């Protein structure tokens, strides 16, 4: 009988600063090195350097973990725009704008047949 006192406190301690997801790790590494960073498992081709030991790979498929030190974050060493991993969508792309105004030939400008104004019968406008 009787409920026991509250012995269970909030068991979670927010001490997970080092426990980042690969995506978060890549994000942080990107800020650190100033280059687009990717993590193991992303399919993105190009020259990548391990952010930990600078081991370089010429990646063609899915990013591995660093064969030298086991790091899972890679910095993209190529030039040009940030490559987009296969199967992912980057920033929302604007829909392709048409190249200039469309000019249509042979457009017949038939007058639209106007329907005669219908007069409803039986409508009394008298008060
Ligand atoms: Zn490495």
């Amino acid at each position: 009988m009787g409920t026991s006192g509250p012995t269970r406190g909030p068991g979670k301690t927010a001490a997970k600063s080092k426990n980042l997801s690969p995506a978060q790790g890549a994000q942080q590494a990107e800020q650190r090195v100033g280059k687009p960073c990717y993590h193991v498992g992303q399919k993105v081709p190009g020259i990548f350097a391990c952010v930990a030991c600078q081991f370089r790979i010429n990646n063609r498929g899915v990013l591995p973990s660093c064969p030298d030190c086991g790091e899972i974050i890679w910095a993209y060493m190529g030039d040009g725009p940030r490559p987009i991993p296969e199967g992912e969508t980057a920033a929302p792309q604007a829909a392709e704008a048409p190249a200039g105004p469309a000019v249509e030939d042979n457009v017949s400008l038939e007058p639209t047949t106007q329907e005669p104004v219908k007069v409803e019968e039986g409508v009394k406008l008298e008060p």
Side-chain angles (χ1 to χ4, degrees), residues 93-121:
Q93 264 187 330
E96 271 185 45
V103 178
E104 289 178 40
D105 291 320
N106 298 326
V107 176
S108 58
L109 293 173
E110 287 177 52
T112 54
T113 50
Q114 282 189 341
E115 276 192 50
V117 179
K118 262 188 190 171
V119 178
E120 281 189 48
E121 287 175 49

Side-chain angles (χ1 to χ4, degrees), residues 50-55 66 68-71 74:
C50 169
V51 296
C53 73
Q54 277 77 52
F55 188 90
C66 177
D68 204 37
C69 74
E71 175 62 60
W74 296 92

